[in-house]
Amino acid sequence: MRIEALAGPWLGRLSLSALPTDSPVAMGAALVAVFGALGVAGYITGKGKWRYLWREWFTSVDHKRIGIMYVVLALVMLARAVIEALVMRLQQADAVNRSGFISAEHFGQLFSTHGSIMIFFMAMPFLTGVINYVMPLQIGARDVSFPVLNSISLMLTAAGAALVMISLVLAPFSTGGWSGYAPFTELRFSPGVGVDYWIWAVTLSSIGSTLTGINFAVTIYKKRAPGMHLFRMPLFCWTALCTSILMIFAMPALTVATALLALDRYLGMHFFTSGGGGNMMVYANLFWLFGHPEVYIVVLPSFGVFSELFSTFSAKKLYGYTSLVLATMTIAVLSFTVWLHHFFTMGQSAHINAAFGIATMLIGIPTGVKVYDWILTMFRGRVRFTTPLLWGLAFLVTFVIGGLSGILLAIPPVDFLVHNTTFLVAHFHNMLIPGTLFGMIAAYQFWFPKAFGFRLEERWGRVAFGCWVIGFYLAFMPLYVLGLEGMPRRSAEVFDEAFRPWLLVAAGGAVLIVLGMAALALQLAMSIRHRDRNRVRAGDPWDGRSLEWSTSSPPPEYNFAKLPEVQGRDAFWTMKRSGRAYPPLERYAPIMLPENSAIGPLLGALGLATAFGLVWRIGWMAGLGTAGALVAVIGWSFVRRPGRTVDERQVERTETRWHAVLVAAVPVSREHECDPRNRGLADVAA
Amino acid sequence: MSAGSASERRRHPGLNLHESDAHPSDGEVVFGFWVFMMSDAVLFALLFAVYASLGANTAGGPGPRDVFELDPAAMETLLLLSSFTFGIASLAMKYRRGMALLQGMLATTLLLGLGFLGLEVHDFVGMEDTGALPQVSAFLSAFYVLVPTHFLHVSLGCVWIVVMMVQLRMSGLDRITRTRLLRLGLFWHFLDIVWVMIFSFVFLRGLL
């Protein structure tokens, strides 16, 4: 029994030896993390903004602010994980027939944090943030169904991310990869705290995501504006709905997998151990029962984003709307039927492999339907090559290449040949970088003016686009070749001189991608500096089609002074063409909004304390964290607050101010979309 | 929407949730809880699947016949009566039969729930006395996760009943307490269904 380990001394297993003093690279990273955090905290203190942040952001339950916070979290984590990717590529290019500049142990931690962060703390928060911001506006709602729960989800996710950041300083992290396969991650083979960091970080984020899924699904079912039938929703909302359904049904499998692994490690049980009757295949099945739907959780929202982009920037309605909806639903259902293709080589019979291989190939059909629909949306449209659309075009080509390599991998005999090689690494990066990341970056470029009232600079956006796309091809196409030549994935060192040129090219690609990140940062900085020349406060910079563009930029906290009446698809586009887009000022009713709440940050902090205590076996901390969370939830259920009223005069003032902006703005034609003439009022006569 | 219209009654059969424009969120709250229950049901389904695939791996330790006893498990099943008493509580709420009946039925449900928990603790202690610890084999690990997860749910349900009894004393039957009781009822009946599954698939199948 290892229960005693939980009741150890005050600091459990934590001591100064946790600092990564043995490796200069790891120490450097730890210092960057510490000084980065201190620098940000110092800056906020210097500006005296803590109170503002607490009152206006951390305790906010406004879906728009929560969405922005999710995206900020995702961008911070993206920066770390991209740099880790660069270190890994440099190491492999360096370590041909020699040991390179980082240890195998450190390399193992790098690919584990890189994968875990990219999925759980980059992709998930990014898409959750974008859905949070956009979806309620698109369906004509004032907020999500459960605003406080939304804040709790955000804070639990942030707590998980914080735990991963802490592991940079109080090392080590797991070396078991993002999938944490047992029995390697069992105590016998991984006795340190690394796997525990992974377990609790992932558990915090998966609880947050389950709650988010429930919240979004109920919002879409229950809070649509009058007339917004399901089949009138923008496609992005459909993908948000399917993603939410997948979250509700798939996340529990991850929670069960990590919980059982924790029981093995903490209490000496035998679920996935190599003795005592344990069976690691149960872990593989549970993990991928979550893991495969997860792939579609992160990819479907991007499909929604691209649907909006192709239609908006082609000034055409979406081609094959119904088929796109059905394809999205089909993908969501099929995603539960293919998990076994992640371990074709792990001992099932050929018949079972064949069945799952066929199911996997079937997913290519609805995805192909989508690709044709997107192409046909642009066909004979007046396509404008703005930055967001460029990401969309790069996605279209790149994603199809990745899909083709996926069809290859779906054939079990082929999978046997390239299993566990960099061919697989190339394939899934080839899906997830265009399919998730490009979509999210495009969403950020597309909806940024909505959220902040000014456009992002086009020039630096194009530089970032060029660096990312060329960098992607340089970094990952060589991995296909290396995989076919038999280079195993996750190798800290390689021993074949023939791999070197390809690895050098891949490292060059990684450098370009990091430059792409820098260009994105520069774009943001330049756009903030020159914001006055890119203001689009009237709210509709792209001649948008859905309801979020019918509000001011940024939208008022209540979103809509009067809930819109929806007559059909592309609601705002039709309103503009029939002159009903901007209703005249009138008498407004007071609007009830939920009050800010500290329960989200409180539960996030208690969750972090519990997780940290469990990682380092600090019993009192874990116990207090859990008990505190229970008390906090019960205590909160006794708090009765009526909500906050935005009175009619305040609504009228806000609306009057916006109408003044609308009157002052000169309608702009699409040729001048990207220059300072664009003030966010579209010229619909053209 | 007018309270008590035909469509309104259909939405929550048996319980009148008065929705109005001022409070549009009752339906969302109840529907949201249904969705949460689906997620929780998936969690139990997975634990059943784990038990099914590891249940035969006794690794030389005791098997189901050695450690299960039918009598206490059947006794615990009798405590399913608590679903009946909770049902009466719900009816008392629906037909406004007074706070005494409602509180009394909640208290009875609570006692039955606590009795269930007590009996289960007794079972677990008995099993541990015979050396059937969760560390012995995959079969026992799977058992000690599936059944105690249900135990934990019932414990939280009991805490919830206490909280509701206090809140009913404080603010009576209003919009908030009514929807909370409705959700608590869903939760409680769900746990009974899970217990029926556990009794059938774990105890009966293990012993017959």
Side-chain angles (χ1 to χ4, degrees), chain A residues 38 58 196 234 304 441 456 524 622 648 670:
Chain A
L38 286 177
F58 298 153
D196 303 320
I441 295 177
L456 288 167
L524 182 60
E648 58 270 36
R670 290 305 98 197

Side-chain angles (χ1 to χ4, degrees), chain A residues 1 144-146 210-211 214 217-218 221-223 247-249 252-253 255-256 260 263 267-271 276-279 282 286 289 630 634 636-638 640, chain B residues 11 27-29 31-32 35-36 38-39 42-43 46-47 50 53-54 57 59 134-138 141-142 144-145 156 159 163 166-167 170-171 174 176-177 180:
Chain A
M1 293 275 290
V144 292
S145 283
F146 310 114
T210 311
L211 299 177
I214 295 171
V218 175
Y221 281 123
K222 294 282 186 181
K223 278 195 102 79
M247 284 182 183
I248 294 162
F249 288 104
T255 310
V256 169
L260 300 188
L263 287 169
L267 298 178
M269 294 196 187
H270 290 289
F271 288 103
N279 184 352
V282 175
L286 281 174
L289 204 51
L630 195 63
I634 292 175
W636 184 66
S637 78
F638 281 86
R640 292 184 165 222
Chain B
R11 199 177 296 169
E28 285 167 76
V29 164
F31 177 61
V35 179
F36 166 72
M38 281 199 271
S39 195
V42 172
L43 184 111
L46 291 167
L47 292 181
V50 169
S53 56
L54 296 178
N57 301 3
Q135 289 82 3
V136 170
S137 68
S141 298
Y144 274 102
V145 164
L156 289 175
V159 173
V163 169
V166 175
Q167 293 191 349
M170 285 169 64
S171 45
D174 62 3
I176 294 177
T177 45
R180 282 188 184 158

Side-chain angles (χ1 to χ4, degrees), chain A residues 640, chain B residues 14-19 26 29-30 86 90-97 102 160 164 167-168 171-185:
Chain A
R640 292 184 165 222
Chain B
L15 286 164
N16 300 326
L17 272 183
H18 294 284
E19 290 193 43
D26 289 2
V29 164
V30 175
F86 203 107
S90 298
L91 291 175
M93 172 167 86
K94 178 180 178 183
Y95 294 108
R96 300 179 186 276
R97 287 295 161 84
L102 177 52
W160 193 353
M164 283 320 298
Q167 293 191 349
L168 281 174
S171 45
L173 265 182
D174 62 3
R175 200 175 68 82
I176 294 177
T177 45
R178 285 169 73 87
T179 54
R180 282 188 184 158
L181 275 177
L182 191 58
R183 282 177 280 161
L184 175 55

